[in-house]
Amino acid sequence: MGDQSAKFESLFSAAMGQATRPFPFQIDFALATEVPSFVSIPTGLGKTAMAVVGWLWRRRFADESVRRIMPRRLVYCLPMRVLVEQTRDNAVNWLHDLGVLAGEAELEERDGKRNLRAYTPDHADPAKIAVHVLMGGEEKDDWDIHPERDAIIIGTQDMLLSRALNRGYGASRARWPMHFGLLNTDCLWVFDEIQLMGSGLATTAQLEAFRRSLGPKGGNGCRS
């Protein structure tokens, strides 16, 4: 465990900046035998980094037994557009610094802080990981054309939960079953800021209950 912890800390620091060390809860998320179902941490301490870098570690860098059962898609569900944009920017920055980002990221330094100006996913390299956004008004980026590849999908609850219920907002009916399958198979769902989700929170709980009672287990499973 000590060797694995040191390796994860090195990966985390490479993503966040060499002066940043992970908190114990971030290490626990990455190294636990099972991904925890609930994490209660005050805002601003790094839950997003815990989920994104922790998933990446378990999917790409952990022992083979862990990698084999870790879902290939990280689905990050949020109640507000501004939170989606912030999470997308962070995920793109971290994957870029780790050298595993699929696509081109335009970054700029402003007021001593690096900002993301634009990001375009690119599917040329199957070993890289694309970051996709699902929210109203965003251009479609063909997030569903490579179901066999690792991916991070970040979106608002209306866009993501409607697809998980086979009623995808803004999608043609012909694509509903495809999106339903992709978001209910081989996914780790993360629900953040659940106190703002309203009735969406009950939907997430019922979907998880169905997955636990009816869904496949192991690497092809889906959990929240």
Side-chain angles (χ1 to χ4, degrees):
M1 180 65 76
D3 183 52
Q4 289 291 293
S5 179
K7 289 180 179 178
F8 172 72
E9 289 188 31
S10 177
L11 179 79
F12 191 91
S13 296
M16 302 293 153
Q18 292 301 324
T20 305
R21 314 304 299 178
F23 289 115
F25 76 89
Q26 294 166 328
I27 297 173
D28 290 345
F29 183 92
L31 303 184
T33 303
E34 291 189 7
V35 174
S37 296
F38 181 75
V39 178
S40 180
I41 299 295
T43 298
L45 288 183
K47 293 190 300 295
T48 304
M50 172 202 74
V52 173
V53 182
W55 167 82
L56 179 64
W57 165 264
R58 299 178 73 98
R59 180 65 189 169
R60 290 291 183 92
F61 300 97
D63 291 338
E64 183 180 356
S65 59
V66 176
R67 298 198 306 268
R68 187 171 59 250
I69 64 173
M70 193 63 188
R72 73 180 64 248
R73 283 179 287 279
L74 176 65
V75 183
Y76 206 110
C77 183
L78 293 150
M80 300 166 59
R81 293 175 59 91
V82 65
L83 297 175
V84 171
E85 293 167 346
Q86 292 172 1
T87 302
R88 182 269 318 275
D89 291 358
N90 285 330
V92 168
N93 268 295
W94 298 333
L95 295 187
H96 175 270
D97 286 351
L98 291 171
V100 296
L101 180 68
E104 294 294 327
E106 296 181 24
L107 304 169
E108 64 177 2
E109 295 287 339
R110 184 188 303 166
D111 299 326
K113 190 177 180 182
R114 189 173 66 176
N115 298 295
L116 178 68
R117 292 182 56 194
Y119 167 64
T120 304
D122 187 327
H123 304 292
D125 188 345
K128 298 294 182 70
I129 300 172
V131 179
H132 303 285
V133 168
L134 283 177
M135 66 179 182
E138 286 289 306
E139 293 184 12
K140 297 177 181 177
D141 66 359
D142 295 328
W143 67 275
D144 53 2
I145 64 173
H146 288 291
E148 79 284 3
R149 296 186 185 178
D150 295 352
I152 298 176
I153 303 165
I154 305 166
T156 49
Q157 61 176 349
D158 57 341
M159 300 294 279
L160 288 172
L161 292 178
S162 64
R163 282 161 173 75
L165 293 168
N166 205 20
R167 293 292 185 274
Y169 293 163
S172 66
R173 289 197 172 210
R175 300 186 83 82
W176 285 2
M178 180 189 300
H179 294 173
F180 174 78
L182 287 173
L183 294 177
N184 284 291
T185 306
D186 220 357
C187 293
L188 174 65
W189 281 76
V190 174
F191 299 100
D192 201 356
E193 304 295 348
I194 57 174
Q195 74 278 7
L196 302 176
M197 285 188 171
S199 60
L201 178 57
T203 302
T204 69
Q206 185 61 72
L207 282 170
E208 180 65 7
F210 284 142
R211 292 184 187 116
R212 292 189 181 192
S213 62
L214 303 173
K217 308 300 181 183
N220 291 324
C222 186
R223 63 166 300 186
S224 305

